[in-house]
């Protein structure tokens, strides 16, 4: 038998002695999963503890998620060696694969693999609960989590930031002209433009049908036009030629709560829409 096919076997005539390590580890992992903040971290912990418990050479788990497809994780999160291909492990099918193989603990190892499946599914569902499925940006719930945390830092340390609400101009006409599929493609393009046009640390979200929100780390309104001009520059090359109108509110100068920031930004957006599209209405506070 080759090294990769090596198994732990009993000598002829040797009686099977129950090994409680697998059951004890399984119990610990069940408790750990219920308290783990990250499914991927939990999977890594499972593999590392398998290796440590039986002094294994290595361990992998292959999971087949309904949305993500086949996923492969290695103990220690190590990359594959140059002379080995991930396909070799993937071809062994879903489950946990160890070297040497733990034959007598197969049922418990399979149960641990099911825990890893649950952990990955929980991570995916958590991500989906915070992101817009069409654009991949944060949704209102995910954005508000970041907004609340930014408000807390702003109030505590005096760090300024701006909440910008963007409303796409004439989006209904776009839907009427090119259909809802074309409208969805336009929204995806806007999401892509925002994602690639923003600076590191700034956040974009789709918070309504054709409404987007930005959390921008700026000192005052004087910075907003340059940022929006750059975003328009990214958008200008897209086939949809969409423009937007924006309303800005500053924290902590104007407001220090989620509701008040939205109220100020929404009022400014309304003012800008009535003053003429492709405009930005700013807070009166100046840096």
């Amino acid at each position: 038998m080759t090294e990769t096919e090596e198994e732990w076997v009993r000598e002829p005539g040797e009686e099977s002695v129950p090994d409680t390590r697998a059951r004890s580890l399984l119990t610990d992992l069940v408790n750990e999963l219920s308290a783990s903040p990250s499914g991927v971290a939990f999977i890594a912990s499972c593999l590392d503890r398998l290796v440590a418990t039986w002094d294994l050479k290595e361990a992998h788990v292959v999971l087949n998620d309904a949305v993500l497809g086949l996923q492969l994780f290695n103990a220690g999160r190590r990359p594959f060696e140059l002379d080995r291909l991930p396909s070799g492990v993937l071809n062994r099918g879903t489950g946990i694969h160890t070297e040497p193989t733990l034959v007598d603990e197969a049922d418990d190892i399979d149960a641990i693999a099911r825990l890893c499946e649950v952990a990955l599914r929980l991570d995916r569902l958590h991500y989906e609960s915070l992101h817009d499925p069409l654009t991949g940006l944060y949704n209102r719930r995910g954005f508000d989590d970041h907004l609340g945390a930014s408000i807390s830092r702003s109030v505590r340390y005096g760090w300024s930031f701006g909440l910008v609400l963007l409303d796409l101009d004439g989006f209904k006409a776009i839907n009427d002209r090119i259909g809802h599929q074309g409208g969805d493609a336009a929204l995806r393009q806007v999401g892509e433009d925002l994602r690639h046009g923003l600076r590191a640390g700034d956040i974009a979200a789709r918070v309504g049908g054709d409404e987007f929100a930005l959390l921008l780390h700026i000192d005052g309104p004087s910075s907003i036009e340059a940022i929006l001009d750059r975003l328009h520059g990214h958008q200008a090359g897209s086939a949809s030629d969409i423009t937007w109108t924006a309303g800005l509110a500053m924290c902590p100068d104007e407001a220090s709560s989620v509701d008040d920031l939205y109220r100020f930004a929404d009022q400014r957006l309304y003012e800008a829409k009535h003053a003429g599209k492709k405009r930005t209405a700013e807070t009166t506070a100046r840096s």
Side-chain angles (χ1 to χ4, degrees), residues 247 265-275:
D266 194 59
Q267 177 62 32
R268 301 280 160 54
L269 175 61
Y270 177 83
E271 294 169 359
K273 280 284 189 183
H274 281 72

Side-chain angles (χ1 to χ4, degrees), residues 159-202:
W159 298 341
S160 294
F161 72 88
L163 169 65
V164 180
L165 295 183
L166 300 175
D167 189 78
L168 303 187
D169 297 326
F171 187 70
K172 182 179 184 302
I174 293 174
N175 269 334
D176 292 342
R177 186 174 72 251
I178 61 178
H180 288 289
Q181 287 187 337
D184 286 348
L187 290 172
R188 283 193 293 269
Q189 181 63 55
V190 172
E192 192 74 7
D193 295 333
L194 295 178
R195 184 163 35 249
H196 291 290
L198 290 177
R199 305 163 302 176
D202 293 338

Side-chain angles (χ1 to χ4, degrees), residues 26 29-30 33 42-43 46 50 61-64 93-97 106-122:
L26 178 59
L29 291 174
V30 168
L33 176 59
F42 171 82
I43 293 170
C46 284
L50 276 172
V61 60
V62 178
L63 305 175
N64 191 10
T94 58
I96 293 177
H97 309 291
D107 289 343
D108 290 315
I109 299 302
D110 184 64
I112 293 175
R114 300 289 81 75
L115 289 179
C116 292
E117 287 182 348
V118 172
L120 182 62
R121 190 179 308 121
L122 289 175

Side-chain angles (χ1 to χ4, degrees), residues 204-219:
R206 181 185 176 212
V207 294
D210 61 344
E211 188 170 286
F212 294 78
L214 307 177
L215 195 162
L216 304 178
H217 295 284
I218 55 178
D219 293 327

Side-chain angles (χ1 to χ4, degrees), residues 214-230:
L214 307 177
L215 195 162
L216 304 178
H217 295 284
I218 55 178
D219 293 327
S222 59
S223 307
I224 186 65
E225 288 300 337
I227 294 175
L228 293 183
D229 284 346
R230 184 175 70 250

